[in-house]
Amino acid sequence: PTLYRRNENRSGPAQMPVQVLVTMGASDPRDFTRLALKAAMRMTMPARLRFIIGPNFVNPRGLADEIETAGFEAIGNVADLAAEFARADLALISFGVTAYEMAALGVPSLYLALSEDHERSASAFCQAGMGDIVAPDVDGIASALGRLIEDRDRRRAMSEAGRTMIDGQGAARIAAELAADCSEAKPR
């Protein structure tokens, strides 16, 4: 990945900060990354925030500069998203395929919905205990992040729920069922 600049975290030396990954997809059409940055600037608890700048962001260098100026880390040109995702203790994401990836990796997530359809889909993840939907406003994001950063037990439960519900083996199970159905089918 392109590491725009590695910044010091805002925590004291005695506490290991929670690793928070912020990723809003390849293009971030609603500018959720900037909204998340504004929310992060209001937080006071120890956390290390890393912002992924997608390949189709408008003015990625300018956004990276804003993130770095605020004391956070901006990374772009990520070749191995799974490795970046796996480093996180908590993720703030726009709901989509990334929600499934985070769940499979056991990363508790806060979801911002781009549409009503995304919100309905994200609500299933919430009901399963894998994450929470967050209102796309600075106060809502800051509050939700703060609560989960401070609640290790809830993050652990969300992580377990994600790994239980999304194990990454769905395609193999479907293929096995199809193969079984084909072998049981009678020739015509």
Side-chain angles (χ1 to χ4, degrees):
T2 299
L3 181 61
Y4 291 107
R5 188 175 74 195
R6 186 172 298 277
N7 295 295
E8 297 301 315
N9 66 55
R10 297 175 156 186
S11 68
Q15 188 174 13
M16 184 65 138
V18 172
Q19 305 291 312
V20 179
L21 183 69
V22 178
T23 180
M24 302 300 169
S27 62
D28 192 11
R30 300 260 312 267
D31 205 20
F32 284 158
T33 303
R34 190 167 277 108
L35 190 64
L37 173 61
K38 290 176 183 176
M41 291 169 59
R42 292 188 181 183
M43 294 177 7
T44 58
M45 69 286 307
R48 179 174 181 232
L49 278 83
R50 302 180 77 223
F51 290 76
I52 293 180
I53 307 295
N56 299 318
F57 276 40
V58 174
N59 189 15
R61 180 71 248 168
L63 180 57
D65 288 344
E66 288 179 50
I67 291 166
E68 294 163 357
T69 298
F72 303 110
E73 187 175 336
I75 52 175
N77 300 317
V78 179
D80 187 357
L81 281 172
E84 291 296 331
F85 293 173
R87 288 187 193 111
D89 298 315
L90 172 62
L92 174 63
I93 63 175
S94 61
F95 187 84
V97 172
T98 303
Y100 293 86
E101 295 165 332
M102 292 296 182
L105 290 167
V107 179
S109 299
L110 296 171
Y111 313 118
L112 294 168
L114 288 168
S115 66
E116 286 182 29
D117 178 55
H118 283 190
E119 190 166 344
R120 277 192 306 277
S121 298
S123 69
F125 280 59
C126 297
Q127 290 172 357
M130 297 183 284
D132 288 328
I133 297 172
V134 180
D137 64 69
V138 173
D139 291 332
I141 294 168
S143 177
L145 278 171
R147 281 191 307 275
L148 271 181
I149 287 169
E150 292 177 342
D151 193 343
R152 180 186 303 235
D153 292 337
R154 179 124 192 277
R155 289 195 321 271
R156 187 175 299 121
M158 292 168 109
S159 175
E160 290 172 13
R163 280 193 229 111
T164 299
M165 297 298 293
I166 311 289
D167 66 3
Q169 299 302 313
R173 281 192 296 278
I174 291 169
E177 286 184 29
L178 287 172
D181 287 348
C182 289
S183 69
E184 292 173 7
K186 296 179 183 175
R188 294 181 182 197

